[in-house]
Amino acid sequence: MLALRLTRGAHPAVQLRRLLVAAASAGTGFLLLSALGYAIAHPGSPGASFLRLAWCAPPLAATVHLAVAVARTDPGTAPRPGLSAIGLGPARLMAVSATTTALSCTLGSMLALLVFLHLRGDLTGMPFDGAAAGFLAAGRPLPVPAALTLLTVVPVIASVTVAVVLRPREATPPAARGPARRLGRFGAYRLESAPETFEAYARFGHHLVTEPAGGRTAAAAPTAPHATAPHPPATANGSPPQPGSAAGPGTAAPLTAAADDVPTAPPGGLPWSIAVLAAGLAVETYAGRTAATPPGGHPGVLAGWALTALGLALAGPGLVHLCGRLLQAVRPGALRLLAGRVLMTEATRIGRPLGVVCAVAGATYALASLSAAGGPSFGPLTALGALLVCGCTLATLLTAAVEARQARAETTAALLRMGAPAATLRAAAALRAGALLVWFGPLTLVVARLAALPPAR
C-alpha cells in the first residue's frame, strides 16, 4: 500500500522513468512470448527455439539494468532522517523500492500479454491480415502456465536485483578500521581518522580545521581574540561577489580548493576487464570462422558479445578515472582541474553504464555491417530487441547522470556560495562530456570494427 501511495504521489520526472521501465518490461515480455510462440509452431526444432530464447537475454539484462538505475534515483525511497522512528528504516525502504519496481515491470508484462494475444487473433480477430501469425503460433493453443512463467521473469529478476543492490549495509566504524593512510600533497603519506568526502571538502574552510592523527595543524591553532573570518574576494566595485557571478581572478580559488587533494582512489579490476574484453572478441572471432550457420545466429557469437559487453562494463570505471586524470595533466587550470576531479570521483557511478553503451554501440555497428555486406536479414523481432537494448542503455546512462548530479548537489551549492560563477560550472560539465566523447568514441569504433571482422571474411 505504501508503494502504491509513493508511486501515485511521485514527481512527473520520476513517473516518466517508471513508465520507461514498464515499456522496457513490455518489450522484453513480448520477446519472451514470441520465443514461446516459435517453439509451439516448430516443435521439431528445439535447438532453434532455445537459441531464440537465449537471444532474449540481452534485452532482459538491459531492462533489469534500467530498473536498478531508476530505483537508485527514486527520491521517494531515499533514506532521510527521522524515517526510522516511524518504521521506515533502510530495510523497509529497500522493500518499498523492490515492490515499486515489481509493480512497474508487472504492468509492462500485462501490456505485453495483451499485445501478444491481440496479434495472435485471440481477442478481436487476426490483425494486419495475419502478418504476425507465422512467429506467434496463431491458431494453436497457448499454454497458459508457460506464458505466465515467462511473464514473471522480468518482474522477479528486476525486483530481486533491486533488493540486492539497495540492501542496507552495515558501515564499519572508523575505530575498527584504524587510521587510514593516503597520499597527500607531493606524494607524502599522512594519517587520518576517517575518509573525507568531496562534498565535505567543498565546504568553505572545512580543510582549515581538520586535525590529523599527529595533532593540531597550524591553521587550526587558536586565533587572536578579535580575529575575523576570511571574506570572499571582492569584485571591481568593492562589493563581495554574488553566487553565480564572475569575480575576476579570485574565482579560481574556490574551484581549486574544492577539487584539490580530494581522495579519489582509482577503481580496481582494469587489467581483468581488458582480459575479459579480449576473450570476448576472441570467442566471437572463433565462432564466426568455424560456424556453419550465419554468425549472427550462432551461440558462440552471443557468448562473445556477452563477454565483450561485460569487459567494457567492468573497464568503464577505470577508463573514466583515467580520463579524468589525463584531463588534469600538464599545468591544469581551475576549469580542467574541477572537471577532472569530478570525473575521477564519479568514475564508478557513470563508468559502468557508459561502458555498456559503448558495447551496445559496437554491437549495433557490427550488425549494420553484417546487413550491408549481404549477411543475414533481420526481422521485426530483431529490430524490437535492438531498439530495446539501445533505448534501455541510453536511458540508464542518462539516469546515472541524474544520480551523479543529485550526489554532487551539495558541492555545487557550496561552490556557488563561495562565489564560483555558474557559467564556469556549466563549462566544466561540457568539458567532462566532451572529454568522455573523445575518450570513448575511438574505443567504441575499434571494438565495433573488431566485432565486424569475422563476418567480413
Side-chain angles (χ1 to χ4, degrees):
M1 195 64 183
L2 179 60
L4 289 175
R5 296 183 63 181
L6 290 176
T7 302
R8 186 182 60 181
H11 192 270
V14 180
Q15 299 283 20
L16 178 60
R17 291 196 289 267
R18 290 172 180 169
L19 287 178
L20 288 177
V21 174
S25 176
T28 305
F30 183 80
L31 289 177
L32 292 172
L33 292 176
S34 301
L36 176 62
Y38 183 86
I40 296 174
H42 303 82
S45 303
S49 302
F50 178 77
L51 184 59
R52 283 177 174 263
L53 185 62
W55 276 104
C56 296
L60 176 61
T63 302
V64 173
H65 196 197
L66 175 62
V68 172
V70 170
R72 289 172 61 94
T73 57
D74 192 351
T77 57
R80 290 184 294 271
L83 291 181
S84 298
I86 59 175
L88 291 178
R92 182 73 181 276
L93 292 177
M94 177 268 295
V96 170
S97 298
T99 306
T100 304
T101 303
L103 290 176
S104 301
C105 294
T106 303
L107 176 63
S109 297
M110 293 299 102
L111 179 61
L113 179 60
L114 290 178
V115 174
F116 182 77
L117 295 178
H118 175 68
L119 293 179
R120 276 173 48 92
D122 296 337
L123 298 180
T124 58
M126 186 67 64
F128 305 112
D129 297 329
F135 57 88
L136 297 183
R140 297 174 180 265
L142 181 67
V144 178
L148 294 181
T149 301
L150 290 177
L151 288 177
T152 57
V153 168
V154 179
V156 169
I157 294 181
S159 58
V160 169
T161 306
V162 168
V164 170
V165 172
L166 300 183
R167 69 186 186 278
R169 297 175 176 86
E170 295 183 0
T172 306
R177 292 195 304 261
R181 296 183 66 192
R182 69 181 181 92
L183 287 172
R185 299 180 185 273
F186 302 105
Y189 279 102
R190 66 181 181 183
L191 300 176
E192 58 182 3
S193 57
E196 190 176 37
T197 62
F198 188 87
E199 292 83 359
Y201 196 90
R203 298 189 183 98
F204 185 79
H206 176 80
H207 60 288
L208 298 178
V209 295
T210 302
E211 296 186 19
R216 303 179 62 179
T217 59
T223 56
H226 302 286
T228 58
H231 296 279
T235 56
N237 56 4
S239 60
Q242 300 296 326
S245 62
T251 56
L255 297 179
T256 307
D260 188 26
D261 204 19
V262 180
T264 51
L270 185 58
W272 289 105
S273 59
I274 295 176
V276 173
L277 174 61
L281 293 174
V283 170
E284 184 181 346
T285 303
Y286 180 78
R289 288 180 178 179
T290 59
T293 57
H298 193 268
V301 178
L302 176 61
W305 281 355
L307 288 176
T308 302
L310 179 62
L312 285 175
L314 294 178
L319 294 177
V320 172
H321 190 276
L322 182 60
C323 178
R325 186 173 293 276
L326 292 177
L327 194 60
Q328 304 172 76
V330 191
R331 300 174 62 87
L335 184 62
R336 283 200 294 139
L337 186 63
L338 179 62
R341 283 290 176 168
V342 171
L343 283 181
M344 294 171 65
T345 305
E346 299 175 352
T348 304
R349 182 177 287 112
I350 67 174
R352 299 192 189 280
L354 190 56
V356 175
V357 168
C358 292
V360 171
T364 304
Y365 180 85
L367 289 176
S369 301
L370 274 174
S371 180
S377 59
F378 303 108
L381 293 180
T382 306
L384 176 61
L387 180 63
L388 274 175
V389 173
C390 295
C392 288
T393 51
L394 288 177
T396 303
L397 180 60
L398 295 178
T399 306
V402 171
E403 181 186 3
R405 183 177 180 180
Q406 293 175 354
R408 64 172 184 270
E410 295 184 5
T411 304
T412 303
L415 289 174
L416 292 176
R417 289 194 302 268
M418 292 163 61
T424 303
L425 300 181
R426 290 192 295 267
L431 181 59
R432 292 196 302 271
L436 291 177
L437 182 62
V438 172
W439 183 249
F440 280 89
L443 175 64
T444 304
L445 185 59
V446 169
V447 172
R449 293 294 296 175
L450 290 177
L453 279 180
R457 298 182 181 183

